[in-house]
Amino acid sequence: MIRAFVALEVPETVQEALGQIQGRLKKMGGSVGWVRPDRVHLTLKFLGSVSEESIPPIAEALKELSSRTAPFELRPKGCGAFPSMKQMRVIWIGLAGDMKALSGLKKGVEEALRPLGFPLEDRPFKPHLTLGRVKGRQRLRSLQEGLLAEQAFEAEAFDVREVVLYKSDLRPEGAIYTPLFRASFNL
Ligand code: 2AM
């Protein structure tokens, strides 16, 4: 079985800016599993464990969706924590730009994969880039203050031109994500 998800890649220029904000937040201390900047992505749909045979139809469905999708622009902007700043389990970077196109793409992915047996997501879509996952409560106050000080964070805008089907391998040192299939937008 393959642990799979559909996501958008972020370009290197953005990864660098994410590495910089991570560096500043790391100084606040705390126990956080920081996502390596080159592994940061925008998840559209987590598929869970899928069989090897189901990869080609998933790829085909994403290809069909991409053939009627136009490129659009996104810009990393702001930051916060899930489920809340107080509870802080996931530290994220927000997104601005063509949010309508992004929501449309998310909906398109849901609809494309539904016939393959993937149930529609019932939680609202909260587009984000996960920067780190909080592992312990120590120095949490300092981390919260650090994150509040970064509210004005922005990185360079980038064009979204494809969706990527990823394989995720869970490792003690952090998950490894490998692209299995890229579906380029064709409009
Ligand atoms: P994230 O986008 O908030 O980081 C690969 O595991 C990606 O799928 C992660 O980046 C993760 O969240 C997202 N994801 C969504 N639902 C998940 C789940 N139930 N288990 C693991 N990852 C999930």
Side-chain angles (χ1 to χ4, degrees), residues 119-136:
L120 293 181
E121 181 69 64
D122 48 14
R123 295 177 305 180
F125 179 44
K126 294 180 184 165
H128 64 276
L129 306 171
T130 295
L131 206 55
R133 298 181 175 89
V134 177
K135 296 201 258 187

Side-chain angles (χ1 to χ4, degrees), residues 48-64:
S49 279
V50 302
S51 67
E52 209 151 316
E53 301 80 63
S54 58
I55 297 295
I58 294 169
E60 199 49 48
L62 294 175
K63 197 171 151 188
E64 194 282 323

Side-chain angles (χ1 to χ4, degrees), residues 11 19 22 26 33 39 42 59 75-76 78 104 109 115 117 128 134 154 164 169 177:
Q22 259 187 1
K26 278 181 187 171
R39 293 182 188 166
L42 196 170
R75 185 163 38 93
V109 170
H128 64 276
V134 177
E154 279 198 42
V164 186
D169 289 305
Y177 306 127

Side-chain angles (χ1 to χ4, degrees), residues 3-7 35 39-48 82 90-92 121 123 126-133 166-168 170 175 177:
R3 191 178 153 92
F5 64 100
V6 180
V35 180
R39 293 182 188 166
V40 172
H41 54 268
L42 196 170
T43 304
L44 292 174
K45 190 162 182 69
F46 180 71
L47 304 180
F82 289 145
V90 167
I91 298 173
W92 50 260
E121 181 69 64
R123 295 177 305 180
K126 294 180 184 165
H128 64 276
L129 306 171
T130 295
L131 206 55
R133 298 181 175 89
Y166 283 97
K167 170 171 104 157
S168 162
L170 299 179
Y177 306 127

Side-chain angles (χ1 to χ4, degrees), residues 77-124:
K77 187 177 191 288
C79 54
F82 289 145
S84 66
M85 280 298 278
K86 232 176 163 173
Q87 308 224 5
M88 197 181 267
R89 278 203 285 275
V90 167
I91 298 173
W92 50 260
I93 298 296
L95 292 142
D98 196 342
M99 302 310 278
K100 215 171 144 186
L102 179 59
S103 303
L105 179 61
K106 160 72 176 169
K107 194 160 167 254
V109 170
E110 291 286 341
E111 284 166 0
L113 299 183
R114 192 180 187 185
L116 301 177
F118 296 98
L120 293 181
E121 181 69 64
D122 48 14
R123 295 177 305 180

